[in-house]
Amino acid sequence: MAELHYDMTGSGPVLLILPGGAGHPMGLGPLTERLARSFTVVTYDPLGLAHGRLGLPVPDQRPADWSDGAHRVLEAVLPPGGRAYVFGSSSGGIAVLDLLARHPARLAGVVAHEPACVTVLPDGAERRAELLAQFDGAERPPAEGASATPMGVFLAHVLHPFTAYVPSSPAAGQHLTLAAGADSRGQLLYHTAEFLADRLGGRFAEFPGGHLGALDHPEEFADLLAETFLSGVATSA
């Protein structure tokens, strides 16, 4: 079984974070530091890119690969019968939707921020083609070797399979919030989050910034995320 790579900080209820892109948690330090005031923050690095594996060969990824790993992390850090809050953005948001569909018993609440599940839209095939075209036409950074970058791994092994994912509706009683950035209004992923909230029976919430709001506005983003979970919006009292 593959080794799990994750970091923990803070104290309180467990909050699992699945980063976007290729799962590298770069830039999330200010966010996790703020959240650690209220939570035991567990940051999952599904490919181990921040734990010495950047540059090593990586197979094409599936949301189920990440959600199965996230479930194993929760089994490792939670007490028997315990449940965790879970947050994921972008590709991490796709993975937490799969986690909610396939492993709901350990989840107290889920926030998925701008997951690029664009194929669920009525014109999803066209929107996905447009989204991929934004990346496929550019020169790709390397995904392997000494000069490999997380973006290179994302483009080579995550972007295509993850954007093809179609989420399943969570079980009744599961608490799901779809989120999008205020600066993303009118954009494809904002519309996708709104559509998914309606399709999956979840709530919709607007967060600070745009697609990278967790990096650009970490304190405001963290405070709203904590409020979303602890106020009962994303979980039962």
Side-chain angles (χ1 to χ4, degrees), residues 137-152:
E139 182 178 352
R140 291 189 176 188
E144 296 183 16
S147 58
T149 68
M151 178 57 75

Side-chain angles (χ1 to χ4, degrees), residues 29-99:
L31 178 80
T32 58
E33 181 179 349
R34 185 80 167 193
L35 288 169
R37 298 179 178 184
S38 303
F39 301 93
T40 298
V41 182
V42 182
T43 306
Y44 178 40
D45 177 6
L47 298 177
L49 300 183
H51 293 80
R53 296 192 56 81
L54 181 61
L56 299 179
V58 173
D60 287 345
Q61 298 295 293
R62 302 173 304 149
D65 298 326
W66 289 22
S67 67
D68 284 345
H71 180 246
R72 290 173 56 209
V73 171
L74 292 179
E75 291 292 305
V77 303
L78 286 173
R83 298 192 302 162
Y85 302 104
V86 182
F87 166 71
S89 186
S90 191
S91 50
I94 295 173
V96 302
L97 291 175
D98 191 68
L99 179 66

Side-chain angles (χ1 to χ4, degrees), residues 118-232:
V118 296
T119 55
V120 303
L121 299 173
D123 56 350
E126 293 85 354
R127 299 288 78 79
R128 180 171 180 261
E130 292 172 0
L131 181 64
L132 295 178
Q134 296 177 24
F135 295 97
D136 289 344
E139 182 178 352
R140 291 189 176 188
E144 296 183 16
S147 58
T149 68
M151 178 57 75
V153 177
F154 168 71
L155 294 176
H157 301 294
V158 179
L159 175 63
H160 281 253
F162 271 55
T163 54
Y165 177 73
V166 177
S168 301
S169 296
Q174 292 296 325
H175 300 277
L176 169 66
T177 297
L178 273 300
D183 294 346
S184 297
R185 292 176 191 167
Q187 298 178 16
L188 174 61
L189 296 187
Y190 190 103
H191 177 48
T192 302
E194 288 185 306
F195 187 89
L196 281 169
D198 182 66
R199 178 184 174 118
L200 301 180
R203 299 175 183 267
F204 176 80
E206 192 173 84
F207 272 65
H211 190 62
L212 301 179
L215 303 181
D216 296 335
H217 304 278
E219 294 189 353
E220 297 92 334
F221 198 102
D223 290 347
L224 182 54
L225 186 61
E227 179 184 347
T228 300
F229 285 132
L230 298 180
S231 69

